[in-house]
Amino acid sequence: METIRTCIILLFCGANLLAQTKQPIHLDKPFLQDYSIKYYLPADSKIQLKTAFADRNGVIKIHSSTGLMQPHNGRFLYPGEFRPDQSYRSLANKNINAIGIYENQFVLLEDQTVLSNAWAGTLLVKHELPQARLFAGGQNFDFLLADGSQIHYLKTAKTQWEGSVTNDSVREMRFQKSSNLFWILGAKTLYRFSPVTNVLEQQFAGVDFSSFDFSPDQQKIIIGTRDGYLKYDLKTQKQVGPMQQKLPCTEITAVQTIQDKVWFGTTRGAFALHKDGRFDYYQGERWLPGDVVIHIAEGPNQSVLILTEKGLGHLNFKRMTLHEKAVFFEEQVRTRHIRHGFNASLSGMDKGDLSTGYLSDSDNDGLWTSMYLGAEIFRYVVTKEPAALQNCRESLDAMERLYTVNPVPGFPARSFERSGMIEKLTDPERWQHATDPAWDWKSTTSSDEAIGHIFAFGTMAELITDPVLKKRAIVLIDTLMAHILKNDLYLIDYDGKPTTWGRWNPTYVNAFPTNVGDRKLNASNIIAMLQTAYHFTKKPKYKEKAFELLNQHGYFANLMRPMSQIGYAPADADEHSKKMSDAWNHSDDEMYFLGYWGLYHYAFNDTLKRHYKKAILDHWQAERPEKEGLWNIFTALTGTPTFDLKEAVWYLQEHPLDLIDWAIVNSQRQDIEPIPGNFRSQTLATVLPPDERPIQRHNANMFNLDRKNGNGTSEHSAGDIWLLPYWLGRYLGVIAGDKP
């Protein structure tokens, strides 16, 4: 009864009450943002890297086939290299077989001694195992050494015990302080050695052991193998459960417990196991110089060192608020992604080298810039920062020029560039010479651009108080919509013909079967555009045309059609309809949600507004599996208290700082749940975090698993990808600032 009463109240009170609905708010508390600093070996290097460690001073040393090395001159997005470690000249003539950490200090193993430069150099213990390559330190400067099969125990500066493993070779050794026991892992056996009784005992047997460490609670041993990992219970002295194989990669090369996580190195990157069973997967050059992991160790300031065959990945975890992340991305956009005022990608890079890239043109320069402009408008409204307003001016300059660089009245070009560049630009056949011989412009503008323009101009006209900017935005709305109305709801190009996608005429729209998405999409977009034009110009022609479409041509039914009815065209449909519905087009989602700003905000009346809210929430329900940050935040504009704010924040927090298009491969993972092929191209039961999948814009499928081409060739702009959902959330009040 209460639910029915609430619905009746909403029906009569309309949008004002909807706007008062209490919505959740994310308090912007710091979270851990991960990023990688990479150090590469030269491509032709023959050096073999073995282990990497950091001491209590934050010094990092790498043991290699040529001796000790140190990372040099690396920072985020600017990879470093390796240099010989010359810090102690007295080590130059030493044959270093291994390095390690004991009591947070570097300890070295050479062919005659165990030594350290810490403790004033007093640690110098002679041994009798010249081929020793493994060691572990015990309670009181006692050490266990191994050369493969032979094991020596050193105490009070001399060999106290000698022994060997049976029919096996030692892979790793570790000391457990709580039990005062050394543990030794072979290729197929697990041993323990007591320094009290000098007894070596086999504890467990298996196959293809590769690496091991203790669980965070010290109650179990985690043993990595070439086909997963297993748990050995120290109390029961038995394996716990089956071999774990639902992993990002089962071929494990390294195991290391760091604080409350167990880290695994594999032949396809590294992953960390949380206490709740989740994995953080670090694969590809977004994170690591190479995929084959050799060694993992704790780094300075709670970081993680992941040594690969091609170099070192230094994973850092910085406490950061969403606002601080926004500040970082604002700088990324302004320093590397502004081309003539457009929000552009940096392309043509050589394996992530930012200095080798160029600002590229795009089919969607107007759309990506509209989304960035929207972000900066919301930013300015929230912060009143002069820089944000100046960014708005410069982006509007670029958008405005799209209408004047070409000779067609009211027609926006896709892009423009200086003349003499056509053969180097994207889709050169679409470029035309401008009247001004110094410039060229790109034709065939699509509906993507049109709805993006109206979104950006509408937000500027509504929210920016500067009278000049407000007037310019309204003029541009009127200019575009007058062109569309004059040309019977088509975008007419330089050749006098409609562009391929700029079509909202009922003859075109209603020719699609009712379950083909373009019928719903185009109806939704044109009504949003006409409502926006009427709202700001008050010209009756826009309102009249909108109601004509809604009432006489079925556009209301079109845009209200549930998403559950959208799918493949029927067998008897025309070929164009079949082509347009062969799969869900995620660019359509982008167009829908950008259009929802005008559809909902500028609805002609409260009755329509209630219906539009229903359509928006229906669409959002279909999109929920993607956990798409922008769609969830856009849904909040309806005032609904349920819009997956937690998932939107997850998107913003989990999105990587590195927006370079590194190759990413997830399709081989054993820890994901593939689902059968479907219309929406959803590949998994649960979407992967943004930092584990390829970098992509909002018009891409968030369930894309791989990117195998163009490794490190371009960097995307955060302007549309990240800043728009963040600043929209701030403007709507569902994301708080980082200061109370």
Side-chain angles (χ1 to χ4, degrees):
M1 187 66 183
E2 186 62 34
T3 302
I4 295 174
R5 184 188 306 165
T6 302
C7 292
I8 293 173
I9 292 173
L10 289 177
L11 182 64
F12 284 99
C13 294
N16 290 334
L17 184 59
L18 292 175
Q20 296 170 10
T21 303
K22 186 174 179 61
Q23 292 184 303
I25 300 173
H26 171 71
L27 301 179
D28 194 12
K29 297 179 180 179
F31 61 96
L32 286 180
Q33 176 67 58
D34 45 2
Y35 64 93
S36 177
I37 300 174
K38 293 166 289 188
Y39 300 87
Y40 285 84
L41 286 172
D44 58 351
S45 176
K46 304 298 183 182
I47 296 174
Q48 293 181 338
L49 303 176
K50 298 181 179 180
T51 54
F53 291 97
D55 71 359
R56 62 180 299 274
N57 301 312
V59 176
I60 299 173
K61 293 184 186 293
I62 297 95
H63 182 225
S64 76
S65 57
T66 60
L68 296 182
M69 306 183 77
Q70 58 187 354
H72 173 70
N73 200 31
R75 55 193 175 98
F76 178 56
L77 296 180
Y78 297 87
E81 57 187 353
F82 293 96
R83 295 281 178 85
D85 179 13
Q86 300 176 347
S87 53
Y88 279 90
R89 292 175 293 173
S90 58
L91 297 178
N93 61 347
K94 299 289 186 182
N95 183 21
I96 306 298
N97 293 332
I99 64 171
I101 292 293
Y102 182 70
E103 301 292 344
N104 294 319
Q105 301 282 7
F106 285 116
V107 175
L108 313 177
L109 173 65
E110 52 111 26
D111 55 5
Q112 298 181 36
T113 62
V114 177
L115 67 129
S116 177
N117 292 310
W119 303 288
T122 57
L123 176 57
L124 182 66
V125 181
K126 292 186 177 182
H127 66 81
E128 300 170 356
L129 203 59
Q131 300 302 315
R133 54 182 178 80
L134 297 168
F135 73 98
Q139 289 276 28
N140 298 301
F141 292 90
D142 53 335
F143 293 91
L144 199 67
L145 279 61
D147 65 0
S149 60
Q150 296 296 312
I151 303 174
H152 286 191
Y153 173 57
L154 309 181
K155 186 177 182 180
T156 61
K158 62 181 180 180
T159 302
Q160 295 282 350
W161 175 87
E162 298 180 16
S164 64
V165 296
T166 304
N167 299 321
D168 205 350
S169 60
V170 178
R171 295 290 179 87
E172 289 183 346
M173 300 191 302
R174 295 186 185 271
F175 178 73
Q176 188 179 38
K177 192 172 184 178
S178 60
S179 63
N180 192 27
L181 291 172
F182 289 94
W183 291 84
I184 302 101
L185 184 75
K188 55 187 178 181
T189 50
L190 175 69
Y191 287 83
R192 74 179 185 185
F193 174 77
S194 170
V196 176
T197 62
N198 287 345
V199 174
L200 179 68
E201 298 176 291
Q202 180 177 323
Q203 299 294 297
F204 184 70
V207 293
D208 291 332
F209 293 166
S210 56
S211 182
F212 81 121
D213 201 355
F214 305 103
S215 61
D217 62 7
Q218 297 286 303
Q219 300 300 306
K220 299 177 182 66
I221 288 179
I222 312 296
I223 302 177
T225 78
R226 298 300 177 182
D227 193 25
Y229 74 87
L230 57 88
K231 298 178 182 179
Y232 173 79
D233 190 287
L234 291 169
K235 184 176 181 180
T236 64
Q237 300 183 11
K238 294 180 180 179
Q239 180 176 334
V240 180
M243 180 79 72
Q244 301 296 312
Q245 295 177 307
K246 288 188 175 182
L247 311 173
C249 178
T250 59
E251 192 172 1
I252 294 171
T253 58
V255 180
Q256 180 69 50
T257 296
I258 301 176
Q259 298 176 36
D260 62 346
K261 298 178 185 177
V262 182
W263 286 80
F264 296 87
T266 76
T267 54
R268 288 183 175 270
F271 59 90
L273 173 63
H274 292 255
K275 288 189 290 186
D276 61 6
R278 292 182 300 111
F279 294 114
D280 289 330
Y281 187 34
Y282 298 90
Q283 183 269 326
E285 291 186 72
R286 176 183 298 161
W287 304 109
L288 307 174
D291 273 347
V292 180
V293 176
I294 299 169
H295 183 249
I296 298 177
E298 184 170 5
N301 300 316
Q302 300 182 337
S303 63
V304 177
L305 305 177
I306 301 182
L307 193 66
T308 77
E309 86 285 13
K310 295 182 179 180
L312 175 68
H314 184 188
L315 301 186
N316 291 265
F317 301 89
K318 180 180 179 180
R319 296 192 67 79
M320 177 181 284
T321 63
L322 288 178
H323 183 261
E324 289 170 335
K325 193 168 183 176
V327 171
F328 171 86
F329 278 141
E330 292 286 355
E331 181 179 355
Q332 185 248 21
V333 175
R334 299 312 300 182
T335 56
R336 297 197 294 275
H337 292 282
I338 301 299
R339 182 185 74 86
H340 299 315
F342 290 124
N343 175 41
S345 293
L346 196 65
S347 301
M349 298 193 308
D350 180 14
K351 200 177 181 181
D353 184 346
L354 297 172
S355 68
T356 62
Y358 61 85
L359 290 165
S360 60
D361 67 288
S362 165
D363 252 14
N364 298 117
D365 275 341
L367 175 59
W368 309 142
T369 305
S370 295
M371 297 173 76
Y372 171 59
L373 176 54
E376 293 304 286
I377 291 168
F378 297 132
R379 174 189 170 196
Y380 178 70
V381 173
V382 170
T383 67
K384 295 297 185 287
E385 295 174 10
L389 187 61
Q390 181 59 26
N391 295 344
C392 292
R393 288 193 183 96
E394 294 179 12
S395 290
L396 185 64
D397 288 344
M399 300 281 292
E400 194 173 51
R401 195 176 182 206
L402 292 172
Y403 291 82
T404 60
V405 74
N406 75 84
V408 184
F411 180 81
R414 285 185 180 270
S415 186
F416 55 79
E417 187 50 271
R418 298 185 189 279
S419 60
M421 289 283 295
I422 285 181
E423 67 280 358
K424 298 180 181 179
L425 299 174
T426 306
D427 301 323
E429 69 280 0
R430 295 185 180 185
W431 285 83
Q432 311 297 323
H433 296 302
T435 303
D436 183 343
W439 292 91
D440 294 323
W441 64 280
K442 195 172 189 178
S443 61
T444 70
T445 304
S446 76
S447 52
D448 303 58
E449 275 67 54
I451 193 63
H453 288 208
I454 294 299
F455 161 71
F457 301 152
T459 54
M460 176 167 280
E462 178 181 352
L463 302 176
I464 297 298
T465 56
D466 182 289
V468 174
L469 291 178
K470 183 182 291 287
K471 182 178 180 180
R472 287 169 64 188
I474 294 173
V475 167
L476 287 168
I477 293 171
D478 195 25
T479 298
L480 174 57
M481 296 311 297
H483 171 96
I484 292 172
L485 244 61
K486 177 184 177 182
N487 291 291
D488 202 18
L489 300 182
Y490 290 103
L491 273 179
I492 300 300
D493 214 334
Y494 72 97
D495 57 3
K497 299 178 182 179
T499 65
T500 302
W501 307 116
R503 301 168 180 239
W504 302 273
N505 184 282
T507 302
Y508 174 80
V509 172
N510 289 333
F512 290 109
T514 57
N515 69 330
V516 172
D518 284 65
R519 182 163 177 159
K520 175 180 171 71
L521 171 66
N522 287 25
S524 179
N525 274 187
I526 193 61
I527 297 302
M529 293 159 69
L530 289 167
Q531 286 185 163
T532 304
Y534 176 74
H535 182 85
F536 291 107
T537 69
K538 301 305 179 186
K539 292 183 178 180
K541 63 180 179 179
Y542 297 126
K543 188 173 185 178
E544 292 167 1
K545 177 58 69 173
F547 275 110
E548 175 191 329
L549 294 173
L550 288 168
N551 297 328
Q552 299 178 31
H553 296 286
Y555 276 35
F556 179 76
N558 287 346
L559 69 87
M560 290 300 299
R561 187 162 291 111
M563 279 292 173
S564 60
Q565 296 181 16
I566 304 301
Y568 300 110
D572 59 352
D574 61 274
E575 290 305 312
H576 182 58
S577 295
K578 291 179 180 179
K579 180 180 178 181
M580 295 297 288
S581 62
D582 59 351
W584 184 253
N585 186 337
H586 294 271
S587 285
D588 291 356
D589 294 323
E590 190 167 64
M591 296 170 66
Y592 275 117
F593 278 96
L594 291 178
Y596 289 156
W597 180 269
L599 188 71
Y600 184 79
H601 268 304
Y602 312 131
F604 292 125
N605 54 59
D606 286 349
T607 300
L608 281 174
K609 198 166 196 175
R610 287 193 296 273
H611 286 297
Y612 295 156
K613 178 177 180 178
K614 181 180 178 181
I616 294 170
L617 294 181
D618 173 71
H619 187 183
W620 167 74
Q621 284 286 353
E623 296 298 320
R624 292 183 77 180
E626 294 193 17
K627 299 184 181 181
E628 221 289 351
L630 186 55
W631 307 161
N632 285 321
I633 297 295
F634 255 120
T635 301
L637 69 86
T638 66
T640 178
T642 306
F643 56 92
D644 287 348
L645 176 61
K646 182 179 179 181
E647 283 71 18
V649 171
W650 172 84
Y651 171 93
L652 293 170
Q653 290 182 343
E654 291 290 325
H655 212 285
L657 295 178
D658 183 343
L659 300 188
I660 295 174
D661 61 351
W662 297 111
I664 299 288
V665 180
N666 286 297
S667 53
Q668 88 293 337
R669 293 174 61 166
Q670 301 298 309
D671 63 319
I672 57 179
E673 300 178 48
I675 62 176
N678 53 82
F679 177 68
R680 291 189 63 83
S681 302
Q682 181 176 338
T683 57
L684 304 175
T686 302
V687 70
L688 293 173
D691 61 353
E692 294 183 16
R693 62 192 188 218
I695 293 295
Q696 50 195 14
R697 288 188 155 101
H698 299 291
N699 65 336
N701 180 6
M702 297 300 142
F703 284 92
N704 286 336
L705 296 178
D706 301 339
R707 177 189 174 91
K708 297 181 179 179
N709 300 318
N711 189 34
T713 57
S714 64
E715 182 188 53
H716 292 274
S717 168
D720 50 294
I721 293 175
W722 199 93
L723 291 176
L724 178 55
Y726 172 73
W727 286 116
L728 176 58
R730 289 288 305 276
Y731 167 73
L732 294 175
V734 297
I735 297 176
D738 63 348
K739 294 180 176 61

